[in-house]
Structure formats: structure tokens, C-alpha cells
């Protein structure tokens, strides 16, 4: 990630800022192997703006995994969380890259904002790149002789010849 700045009131204007939003929310943790991960429920409810009941969280996470064709072990991992008195609960952990995918595809106001602003930033960069085309001081090279038009040519505007 580059030196992207995101203030409290600023909006997401790039993929770097989408990641920064996730980081600033404080939901990125290191797993035992030292890899960064984001807990699925926190991602969906805190960052993406989903309003889920506890019984539908796992279903929503599974839909995201299927939608994005995430691979277990690469894009997400699971662990079992022991609960007091109940049965263990499966907890999903996304890689930061997968979390960005989920945020940018969320069909919520937060996801829409992230997508639109990433698109706007890309469009702005394309315009900047187009305007910064280096200007050459050299004369353009002449066309190859076989591309040149005959010196005398009578063209009729209606027929082209």
C-alpha cells in the first residue's frame, strides 16, 4: 500500500483507501502463521454495512465465498470458536485482498460508494495519463512511399474518384 491519506470525513477514492478503511476499523488481525486476516462477521457488519441477525451471518459469508469463488487456504480460512453451553461456532477469516473484494462488491451504500469512487479515481488517472503524453519536438517522420497518395488525383466528392 502506498502513502494514501484518509481522513475521518473523506471518502474512498481508491483501492488503497478501501484497504485503509478496513485497517482503520481495527479489524485486521494476524493469524498464528503471521498472515493478516479479517474476521468475516466484522467485515460484513462493520465495514460493508450489512445488517445481519446472528443466525444469518454464516449464510451471508458463504454467499460471499461462492460469489467471489474464494479458495479456502488462500482467500479465507475457518476456525471453530467454543461457545459457553452451546455448540461450537465456525468463524470465517478473509485475507485482506478478499476483504477488499467483498467491500467493493457489497450491494450496500458503503459498497456502492467504494466502487464508484474507485472507478472515478481510475478515470481521473486515465485522463491525467492522456494529458501527460510527452510532446516531441521532432518533426513527424514522413509516411513510407508506398503509403503516399498520387500527386495528381481527381477526386469527385460523390464517388471518391
Amino acid at each position: 500500500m502506498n502513502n494514501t491519506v484518509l481522513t475521518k470525513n473523506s471518502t474512498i477514492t481508491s483501492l488503497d483507501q478501501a484497504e485503509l478503511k478496513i485497517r482503520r476499523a481495527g479489524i485486521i488481525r494476524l493469524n498464528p502463521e503471521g498472515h493478516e486476516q479479517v474476521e468475516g462477521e466484522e467485515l460484513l457488519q462493520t465495514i460493508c454495512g450489512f445488517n445481519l441477525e446472528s443466525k444469518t451471518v454464516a449464510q451471508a459469508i458463504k454467499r460471499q465465498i461462492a460469489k467471489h469463488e474464494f479458495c479456502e487456504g488462500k482467500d479465507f480460512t475457518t476456525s471453530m470458536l467454543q461457545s459457553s453451553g452451546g455448540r461450537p461456532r465456525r468463524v470465517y477469516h478473509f485475507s485482506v485482498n478478499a476483504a477488499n473484494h467483498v467491500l467493493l462488491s457489497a450491494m450496500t451504500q458503503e459498497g456502492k460508494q467504494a466502487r464508484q469512487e474507485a472507478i472515478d479515481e481510475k478515470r481521473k488517472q486515465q485522463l491525467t495519463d492522456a494529458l501527460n503524453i510527452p510532446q516531441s519536438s521532432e518533426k513527424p517522420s514522413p509516411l513510407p512511399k508506398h503509403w503516399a497518395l498520387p500527386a495528381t488525383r481527381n477526386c469527385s466528392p460523390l464517388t471518391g474518384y
Side-chain angles (χ1 to χ4, degrees), residues 8 24 51 55 62 79 81-82 87-88 110 130 134 156-157:
K8 183 177 180 180
R24 289 245 173 104
N51 187 13
K55 62 184 177 184
K62 289 175 187 176
S79 62
L81 181 64
Q82 296 296 334
R87 65 180 201 192
E110 289 84 352
S156 165

Side-chain angles (χ1 to χ4, degrees), residues 72-129:
E72 188 165 5
K74 178 184 175 210
D75 300 309
F76 74 97
T77 59
T78 62
S79 62
M80 298 303 286
L81 181 64
Q82 296 296 334
S83 62
S84 57
R87 65 180 201 192
R89 179 172 71 102
R90 185 175 304 276
V91 179
Y92 293 84
H93 307 277
F94 291 105
S95 69
V96 174
N97 185 48
N100 277 328
H101 279 275
V102 173
L103 171 59
L104 291 173
S105 71
M107 292 301 163
T108 61
Q109 189 59 37
E110 289 84 352
K112 181 180 180 183
Q113 176 187 354
R115 286 188 303 280
Q116 187 58 53
E117 291 176 355
I119 290 167
D120 291 346
E121 181 66 20
K122 183 174 182 177
R123 186 174 295 142
K124 186 171 97 176
Q125 184 60 48
Q126 288 171 337
L127 285 172
T128 300
D129 291 348

